Amino acid sequence: MHGIHSRPASTTRPVPKGRPDHFWEDLVASDVIHTAGMTITDAHLVQWAGLTGDLVSLHLDETYAATTPFGQRIAHGPLTLSLGLGLMTQTGYFSNVVAWLGLDEVRAVAPVFIGDTIRVIATVDMARETKKPAQGIWKINYSVLKQDDSTVMTFSSSFIIKRK
């Protein structure tokens, strides 16, 4: 047919636009990944509370929160952790995750306030082969920072990743 072009069938799955297709071999121990930032809003706190049922006054009640040592509402710790994981996902390094193995050493070291912008600096602590030649494991140490470069949370997370 004139004017209609077709592409040959591909045996590989498409990669979302703007997101690299990384595999286990693409990171080694001591590699560092920087994420984009995200500014925390009232909507984050309210939606997280509704989604999880975590309806604690420190996160939702301005009058109560003003009486605490923080003097204002703060983000839920698990919200900060989840956003840190999500910001890392946006880097494209997790397009070939086989399984998430879990979290370790989670520490909330400073509050996150509405209006703070958080980002992640992550360091590959370990990249090792497994018994299965088609996959490897990454252990990544996360530091969640806010706009003044102070650390608000640290944790590590491990993943099984496809190999090339």
Side-chain angles (χ1 to χ4, degrees):
M1 300 177 86
H2 182 70
I4 297 177
H5 301 280
S6 63
R7 294 183 183 182
S10 174
T11 58
T12 61
R13 65 178 173 76
V15 176
K17 288 187 183 291
R19 192 177 277 183
D21 196 21
H22 291 290
F23 291 87
W24 176 80
E25 292 86 352
D26 294 320
L27 290 176
V28 297
S30 79
D31 279 349
V32 177
I33 303 165
H34 295 260
T35 72
M38 179 176 291
T39 301
I40 305 305
T41 67
D42 172 73
H44 287 107
L45 275 66
V46 172
Q47 289 177 358
W48 183 262
L51 178 67
T52 64
D54 188 348
L55 305 171
V56 174
S57 296
L58 181 58
H59 310 301
L60 302 174
D61 182 335
E62 287 185 33
T63 302
Y64 170 78
T67 69
T68 70
F70 301 114
Q72 60 183 300
R73 294 163 55 204
I74 64 170
H76 305 71
L79 169 62
T80 301
L81 183 136
S82 293
L83 290 173
L85 288 167
L87 287 168
M88 276 292 286
T89 300
Q90 293 176 24
T91 66
Y93 281 97
F94 300 95
S95 57
N96 284 303
V97 168
V98 174
W100 180 55
L101 299 176
L103 293 168
D104 292 299
E105 304 168 11
V106 179
R107 299 291 178 267
V109 297
V112 174
F113 300 109
I114 294 170
D116 281 343
T117 300
I118 62 170
R119 63 189 174 84
V120 174
I121 297 177
T123 305
V124 179
D125 183 52
M126 180 267 298
R128 71 170 177 84
E129 296 177 349
T130 68
K131 293 177 183 176
K132 296 181 179 179
Q135 56 195 35
I137 294 177
W138 289 337
K139 179 184 177 196
I140 299 175
N141 295 331
Y142 290 64
S143 292
V144 182
L145 310 175
K146 60 184 182 178
Q147 65 278 355
D148 63 1
D149 291 331
S150 63
T151 301
V152 296
M153 181 172 281
T154 60
F155 58 92
S156 65
S157 192
S158 298
F159 306 86
I160 298 174
I161 307 291
K162 289 181 188 175
R163 295 182 69 181
K164 291 179 184 173

